[in-house]
Amino acid sequence: MNSYLEMKLLKHITLILIVLSTSFASAQVSFEAKVSKKKLGINERLRVDFEMNQDGDNFNPPDFENFTVIGGPNQAVSTSWINGKRSYKKTYSYFLSPKKRGSFRINQATIEIDGEIYKTTPINVVVTAAVNNPNDENNPETIAEDNIHLIAEVSNTNPYLNEAITVVYKLYVSPDTGVSNWREIDNPRYNDFWSQNIDIKGLKVQNGTFKGEDYRFVVLRKTVLYPQKTGKLEIEPLSLDVTIEVPTNRRDIFGGRLMTQVHKTISAGSRSINVKELPIAGKPNDFTGAVGDFQFNVITSKTELNASESLQARVEVKGNGNLKLFELPKLTLPSSLEVYEPEHAENVSTNLNGMQGSISDAYTIVPQYKGKYPIPSISFSYFDLKTKSYKRISSGEIVINVLEGPTNTTSSDNNIASVNNGKQPVVVNSQQFAFIKTDANLTSVKPNYFFKSTGFWTGLLLPLLAIPLAIIIRKKKQERDADIVGNKIRKADKLAKRYLGEAKKALGKKEAFYVALEKALHNYLKAKLNIETSDLSKDKIEKLLVSRQVSHAEVSEFKGNLKNCELARYTPITNVEMQQDYDKAAKTISAIDKQFK
């Protein structure tokens, strides 16, 4: 008998130990974040899983500010019993597309389990330039792989240094596929190039061929580049995030094929060019890097004037080439001519042929003495792309004739012609630069008095006008406080807006919007009924609301809103439909709050 009791007691103790060990194991809450990779190209996708070993409430993901959420949250729950122990795992999964390159952090997610808040550990990921063979086996947009292509067309892959080349980016789409939206996520950095984007006014759809098949295409960007280094240079890829309309195997009631939307990141790929050095043979000593087809002139505003008057001499280059990337030759003038620093001017436009227009340096010159002053000829050298040779243009000598003025008695300017010494010197006055526009800083000589001014009368009458205004405001406030029904309605509307604030911010982003909308509806019930709603069915929610004297119509509307949140994540939804669901939810919360007892 004693042995029987001992065995019975031993079984009870064993059972108690098993229960205690199970309780201890269940008390160890685990909540962590995992990523599919910590380094990815900008044209790849990142999967982020938030795993927990106990069910919780109010799951709150991070903002993913440097990524676009293209899928999720997808929920997965698994439960198993191993050796009498229960194993539970719940996972929220997101699929992300990076917006740009760099090192980014996946911030903390939070969840409430048994009344306590748990947080994940932040994870750092690195986004690099587009990779050639992205691993996209988990992404739905792979079905559009052969239907859309981004191509970079380079006009010349073997240019000279400072020779213009163009890069035209074209988006090719097959006839059976459509593009509803696109945005640039990685702009090329044209290192070792001078670059200029050409504005495109409106996207024009054109018909063409790609690899021998009929395609439609649009020109997205045109860029002019001037290489600034020789050798092999890389043109970085342009990357786009595209929303593609792809045909499915489903058909509508009229037999037409239904379309589905998928997101895809496409890249034009990097392009290599080989930049040639300019020839050494025949290169002029005064060559400053001008490449193209140019004209050169030195122009003076006048050739005859009196001493102490001024003229302008303009050194100008015009034509087609790298106009902004070289220096103009300098004027050399006699010391008897007073010369001011030149003013540089550019009148240059850029198109697919490169830079066109003119650049100039304008010198202001003031002669001090009577005589004839030659402006020596200067030359300009450039490399002509048509003949692939250097060319030199000379301006020719210009003589400035100073008719009246004092005589120069020094011998510093031997090239000045002799003048008559019998004439009186011209007295320099303060008007020698009268043609130059100056800014005046004038003040009124008539004093202004504050007494009887506009400010005086305003300050005097404003306090008197404020008294009746304060009386009116106070009266309106008393009327508003007395309006009990109106205050209840306003309070209900304000409550609805507070709970739906996060959903309103996510309007236009389907997955995030409906997650926030569903959370708002549950949080409202949680606050009003003081219960956890994650374990309640729609029927139990209906019974609780009806017991609080909420009408059946409003309860049905509330249940319909919850059902829409579940279904909308898996069906195509427009922005208009999202706005309608938001308005319905706000109206339902407001109506329930008015009836709630």
Side-chain angles (χ1 to χ4, degrees), residues 366-480:
V366 183
Q368 299 296 317
Y369 301 101
K370 180 180 178 179
K372 292 185 178 181
Y373 299 86
I375 298 179
S377 175
I378 58 175
S379 61
F380 169 72
S381 300
Y382 69 95
F383 182 75
D384 188 352
L385 291 169
K386 294 179 181 178
T387 62
K388 293 182 173 48
S389 62
Y390 294 97
K391 290 188 176 180
R392 179 190 295 274
I393 306 174
S394 297
S395 64
E397 184 181 81
I398 301 174
V399 177
I400 304 299
N401 188 13
V402 182
L403 303 175
E404 300 291 339
T407 302
N408 185 8
T409 58
T410 66
S411 59
S412 59
D413 289 319
N414 297 325
N415 56 351
I416 301 175
S418 61
V419 295
N420 188 352
N421 295 331
K423 293 197 177 180
Q424 301 232 350
V426 175
V427 178
V428 179
N429 58 42
S430 61
Q431 300 299 318
Q432 56 181 323
F433 294 109
F435 77 100
I436 299 177
K437 184 178 180 181
T438 58
D439 293 328
N441 186 16
L442 305 177
T443 57
S444 175
V445 296
K446 183 179 179 180
N448 294 322
Y449 298 101
F450 178 71
F451 182 66
K452 292 185 178 182
S453 65
T454 303
F456 171 79
W457 293 115
T458 302
L460 185 65
L461 298 176
L462 194 60
L464 299 177
L465 295 174
I467 295 174
L469 183 62
I471 294 173
I472 293 172
I473 294 173
R474 183 178 180 183
K475 186 176 180 181
K476 290 290 183 183
K477 185 176 184 303
Q478 290 174 346
E479 292 175 356
R480 187 183 179 95

Side-chain angles (χ1 to χ4, degrees), residues 150 169-171 182 200 203 218-222 238 240:
L150 180 62
Y169 295 93
K170 294 181 179 180
L171 182 64
W182 64 273
I200 298 176
L203 298 179
V218 292
V219 176
L220 300 181
R221 178 188 282 199
K222 299 177 181 178
L238 171 69
L240 305 177

Side-chain angles (χ1 to χ4, degrees), residues 40 68 148 194 235 279 298 326 337 344 415 495 566:
L40 67 155
T68 301
I148 186 167
W194 181 96
I235 299 177
V298 176
F326 60 83
L337 298 177
H344 186 73
N415 56 351
L495 184 69
E566 296 173 359

Side-chain angles (χ1 to χ4, degrees), residues 7 20 34 55 81 208 230 294 385 402 438 483 583:
M7 290 179 64
L20 288 175
K34 298 179 180 179
D55 197 5
W81 291 86
T230 59
F294 301 108
L385 291 169
V402 182
T438 58
D483 184 11
D583 294 337

